[in-house]
Amino acid sequence: MRTVVVGAAQLGPIEAEHTRAEVVERLLVLLRDGAARGCDAVVFPELALTTFFPRWFVDDIAEADHWYETEMPGPDTKPLFDEAARLGVGFCLGYAELTPPDADGTVHRFNTQILVERDGSVVARYRKVHIPGHEHHEPDRPFQHAERYYFEPGPDGFGVWPAFGGRVGMMICNDRRWPESYRVMGLQGVELILCGYNTPLHYVPDPSQDVLQGFHNALVMQAGAYQNGAWVVGVAKGGVEAGVDSLAQSMIVAPSGQIVAQAYTAGDELVVASCDLDWCKRYTGTLFDFDRYRRPKVYTRITSQRGVVLSDE
Ligand code: CDV
């Protein structure tokens, strides 16, 4: 048995006026709780250091630069790294990243998540691939979801890294709805997938989906876990933030697709599960033995084509 004890460190709302230092204090409480409960790793949500700022539009994007991190760790986040190393508990953290200028002066903005080992060292950085929402101001909405204005898609795709005695991958929020995210990691032998999310309960383009948010959240992560024989840890920033109610229901899903632990509040809460990475083989070595059963020759549309093409026209 290769067991990794993982904590899903759900956060309740972070308001615009909350400082990084205040938020990091909350993260430290959850990290220490994780240490007391035997965690090897604690997983924080998407954009865990700030409020979900893409709900507001600013005409000059530089006015929003204060929501982004220009270094990691920086002065406000260093205490988290130091405490992780002291406790011997790793973590996964989502935040907005502003890169240094390229040679031509261009800066890049990404929705980023990092993986930190138990000694406080950064093992990997992942930048969100599937950016949802809209690029322009949509004044008729009750709130914006302008992620496509604030972030460019991560160019590096989905990686898998050796960490915590296993093979660990990352994805962020909307990525969890796309089977390609899991499968690209599955094809790299992923055993543990870490995912932070901010999911408003009200889906403006189609409100009929509002009552299904919890169902869809579980549906995609349970399917992704099962079909790729991997553990999936989904961690919310939930509750009512700046008047917008967001899904909580953080969960840890086994390679069988079963939910083995789930948050029951919409606030700061740590949900812990012991994840046996050898359990993955039960699925990747049988029903989902990719090498034996996959038929890549007939899947070429998945990478050669983006949208639907009607073959009868
Ligand atoms: N932060 C997100 O990526 N949220 C999306 C919403 C906009 C649908 C999600 O997939 O939950």
Side-chain angles (χ1 to χ4, degrees), residues 71-125:
E71 51 180 341
M72 188 56 66
D76 291 321
T77 45
K78 180 87 172 33
L80 191 62
F81 287 72
D82 292 345
E83 190 66 349
R86 191 184 75 78
L87 296 169
V89 180
F91 64 89
C92 178
L93 177 74
Y95 61 94
E97 177 193 0
L98 180 63
T99 68
D102 290 345
D104 67 359
T106 313
V107 295
H108 301 274
R109 296 173 174 84
F110 296 109
N111 189 335
T112 297
Q113 202 169 271
I114 49 162
L115 184 62
V116 176
E117 255 290 7
R118 291 158 284 196
D119 61 358
S121 64
V122 178
V123 176
R125 181 189 61 203

Side-chain angles (χ1 to χ4, degrees), residues 46 52 111 128 130-133 145 147 172-177 197-200 203 213:
E46 175 190 33
F52 190 78
N111 189 335
K128 186 173 182 175
H130 298 99
I131 311 289
H145 196 107
E147 274 196 71
I172 301 178
C173 195
N174 191 256
D175 290 323
R176 77 196 189 287
R177 302 185 193 272
Y197 60 89
N198 282 263
T199 298
Y203 183 59
Q213 290 292 2

Side-chain angles (χ1 to χ4, degrees), residues 124-288:
R125 181 189 61 203
Y126 166 73
R127 291 162 167 167
K128 186 173 182 175
V129 166
H130 298 99
I131 311 289
H134 48 102
E135 342 2 48
H136 305 293
H137 190 217
E138 297 190 2
D140 292 339
R141 285 175 165 256
F143 55 88
Q144 304 295 298
H145 196 107
E147 274 196 71
R148 293 173 72 87
Y149 176 64
Y150 286 112
F151 302 117
E152 57 186 277
D156 306 322
F158 298 95
V160 172
W161 298 271
F164 301 97
R167 298 186 61 75
V168 182
M170 291 187 277
M171 60 183 179
I172 301 178
C173 195
N174 191 256
D175 290 323
R176 77 196 189 287
R177 302 185 193 272
W178 299 87
E180 293 87 348
S181 311
Y182 303 86
R183 184 49 54 91
V184 169
M185 289 187 263
L187 288 167
Q188 297 170 77
V190 75
E191 295 172 312
L192 177 64
I193 298 175
L194 310 178
C195 176
Y197 60 89
N198 282 263
T199 298
L201 290 175
H202 180 38
Y203 183 59
V204 179
D206 176 19
S208 77
Q209 297 180 29
D210 294 3
V211 293
L212 300 172
Q213 290 292 2
F215 168 65
H216 288 155
N217 184 50
L219 178 72
V220 292
M221 292 196 287
Q222 290 184 262
Y226 168 64
Q227 292 170 341
N228 295 280
W231 289 88
V232 174
V233 182
V235 187
K237 174 135 68 60
V240 183
E241 189 182 86
V244 178
D245 201 0
S246 289
L247 183 72
Q249 298 183 20
S250 300
M251 63 178 69
I252 300 176
V253 184
S256 60
Q258 292 166 290
I259 299 170
V260 297
Q262 187 165 7
Y264 61 92
T265 73
D268 292 13
E269 179 183 346
L270 186 76
V271 177
V272 177
S274 225
C275 305
D276 174 13
L277 302 182
D278 285 335
W279 197 1
C280 301
K281 251 301 175 238
R282 290 173 186 264
Y283 292 87
T284 58
T286 59
L287 263 169
F288 298 112

